[in-house]
Amino acid sequence: MQPISRRTALQLGTLGMISATGGCGLFGQGQSTSSPSGGAVFREPRVIRSEGGSLEVTLEAGVAVHEVAGRKARTLGYNEGLPGPTLVLRPGDRLRVRLVNRLDEPTNLHVHGLHVSPKDNGDNAFVVVAPGESFDYDYLLPENHPAGVFWYHPHHHGMVADQVYGGLYGAILVEDVEAPAVSRERLLVVSDITLDGSGAVVPPSPMEQVIGREGELVMVNGLVTPRLEARTGERERWRIVNACTSRFLALRLDGHRMHLLGKDGGRFAEPPATDQVVLAPGNRGDLLVTVGRGDGVLRAIPYDRGGMGMMGGDGMGMGGSSSAGGPVRLAELRVTGTGRGPGAVPRFPAPRDLRGEPVGGRRQLVMSMGGMGMGMGMSFLFDGREFESDRIDQRVAVGDVEEWTILNDSPMDHPFHLHVWPMQVVEENGRPLDRPTWQDVVNVPARGGVRVRVAFDDFGGRTVYHCHILDHEDRGMMGVVEAS
Ligand code: C2O
Ligand code: CU
Ligand code: CU
């Protein structure tokens, strides 16, 4: 329950990573519309692909030095990457990860969104890897695993926000058996961080933790406003990961056409055209971008995720929410000539629709914030309780389809995430969706609710659901579900 875990502070402090001055670092300036481009050429993390049905990789969680916006920044990273390497898999693959902990505090690994067993050395959120130790994870993707964009990050309760914010994240792509034809595929891992003038991570204040910290610098693949080049008429596929600990991304690319293939591991039969895609923390977007005539900017426009409800609910000012500083320029698209025109937007087989299937159980979960005051006294709850790792909050039967109604009894949005089993979102604020989407993070609006259906088809075991504003998760907005 420290603003930044004491051990992280010690470790980072030793390495000169914690700012003595705090706040307002030089790095934080220039994220407004008027800021000059960081000027970096777009690049992607290193790619590691499965071969012959398997991928074996060692991921070392440790401290790393990077150039961010032209200066040396000391962050965390997997294999010194910011982000860590991209793992590319196919349905049916076996993924083995040796996680080596080079931090001064416990950590572990979660493969966010993968439909794999939560037991033993699978996607087990309860594993603790002590400093200096390592752990061998072994995941087997089912043959019918959905294609999509997934990611990995630490999940040690109480330290998740600090470790992800510090730089521990990477993407996992599960490839289509038949990939849509595009002129280029790109991966954009978006994250935010605040650095001081010496390149040290600035820890959030207690108040920022209550709201959910948002870094002043928003990066794409560790770069500030990188420049991408493409040609008019070309169609590209952009996979975008929102790895920010609390920041919602309302993405726009004005002047260029976007079609949404799906979010997370979901896929539309007929990808809709869209001019804005909202990714809550933890969400991923899989997009087709048809390049228009002029240059463009990928922007995250302000998104009101509510606040503490103390300042007239404008979402700004004290206790207010995200992106109060105006739109963020994530990347610049430079258009250089004309390419071959795009073909038709691809179609896909209709996804499973649980609305037509018998429901074996219905339950309601309520997310709330309790206690008084803005500081460490505020608690974050599911059904009035804080997370306890050895209490089982929901017991479900393997094989059942369940309907969960998730209510938000607080003045700010909470993105709800369930491990292992994806959710079909069927209703938002009482309004049925005509095109229910499959996601693993679904935003539950302030004072609102969503209804999802979940097929607990396979994989018995114990795992968690939680708010993906990671400061809230660390403070207890998490529960345990067991399928048997
Ligand atoms: Cu990405 Cu349990 O989280
Ligand atoms: Cu997850
Ligand atoms: Cu939350």
Side-chain angles (χ1 to χ4, degrees), residues 235 256-263 266-278 285-290 344-348 351 434-439:
R235 179 171 291 139
H256 307 271
R257 291 176 61 215
M258 299 193 292
H259 288 85
L260 183 63
L261 294 176
K263 279 190 191 176
R267 181 68 60 84
F268 291 106
E270 291 176 45
T274 179
D275 50 19
Q276 180 171 312
V277 177
V278 177
D286 198 346
L287 290 165
L288 295 177
V289 171
T290 310
V345 172
R347 293 172 172 235
F348 300 92
D434 13 288
R435 202 158 21 187
T437 58
W438 283 92
Q439 291 170 214

Side-chain angles (χ1 to χ4, degrees), residues 110 112 151 153 155 417 419 466 468:
H110 168 48
H112 178 132
W151 62 302
H153 63 77
H155 219 287
H417 172 49
H419 286 206
H466 58 87
H468 219 289

Side-chain angles (χ1 to χ4, degrees), residues 1-204:
M1 296 295 272
Q2 300 295 317
I4 185 165
S5 81
R6 196 176 291 115
R7 300 196 60 156
T8 300
L10 281 176
Q11 181 182 29
L12 301 186
T14 319
L15 294 157
M17 284 183 67
I18 295 279
S19 158
T21 52
C24 302
L26 297 171
F27 277 88
Q29 295 172 1
Q31 279 284 320
S32 68
T33 22
S34 59
S35 82
S37 163
V41 175
F42 179 81
R43 69 170 139 69
E44 297 185 24
R46 192 161 76 91
V47 171
I48 307 177
R49 251 169 224 287
S50 69
E51 268 173 58
S54 93
L55 191 158
E56 235 182 295
V57 63
T58 297
L59 293 178
E60 287 194 19
V63 171
V65 176
H66 298 277
E67 196 166 292
V68 177
R71 311 177 67 177
K72 286 243 174 328
R74 290 178 303 284
T75 69
L76 304 180
Y78 288 111
N79 298 358
E80 303 195 334
L82 186 71
T86 302
L87 312 181
V88 181
L89 303 169
R90 297 184 150 256
D93 279 355
R94 180 175 180 192
L95 166 65
R96 276 172 289 181
V97 179
R98 168 162 296 179
L99 175 72
V100 181
N101 184 359
R102 302 237 181 270
L103 307 171
D104 246 357
E105 61 184 22
T107 190
N108 62 11
L109 191 75
H110 168 48
V111 284
H112 178 132
L114 288 190
H115 182 53
V116 293
S117 169
K119 285 184 181 163
D120 308 323
N121 55 350
D123 187 27
N124 184 342
F126 303 98
V127 164
V128 180
V129 185
E133 310 264 281
S134 68
F135 188 85
D136 291 330
Y137 290 93
D138 194 341
Y139 315 94
L140 188 59
L141 276 62
E143 290 292 341
N144 64 353
H145 194 288
V149 194
F150 305 92
W151 62 302
Y152 58 90
H153 63 77
H155 219 287
H156 182 68
H157 181 60
M159 300 178 180
V160 182
D162 285 344
Q163 292 184 2
V164 172
Y165 188 71
L168 292 172
Y169 39 79
I172 300 173
L173 307 182
V174 178
E175 299 262 67
D176 288 85
V177 177
E178 249 178 274
V182 290
S183 44
R184 190 184 312 215
E185 294 185 355
R186 302 184 194 262
L187 168 70
L188 295 83
V189 179
V190 181
S191 60
D192 60 357
I193 196 167
T194 301
L195 300 168
D196 71 8
S198 74
V201 178
V202 178

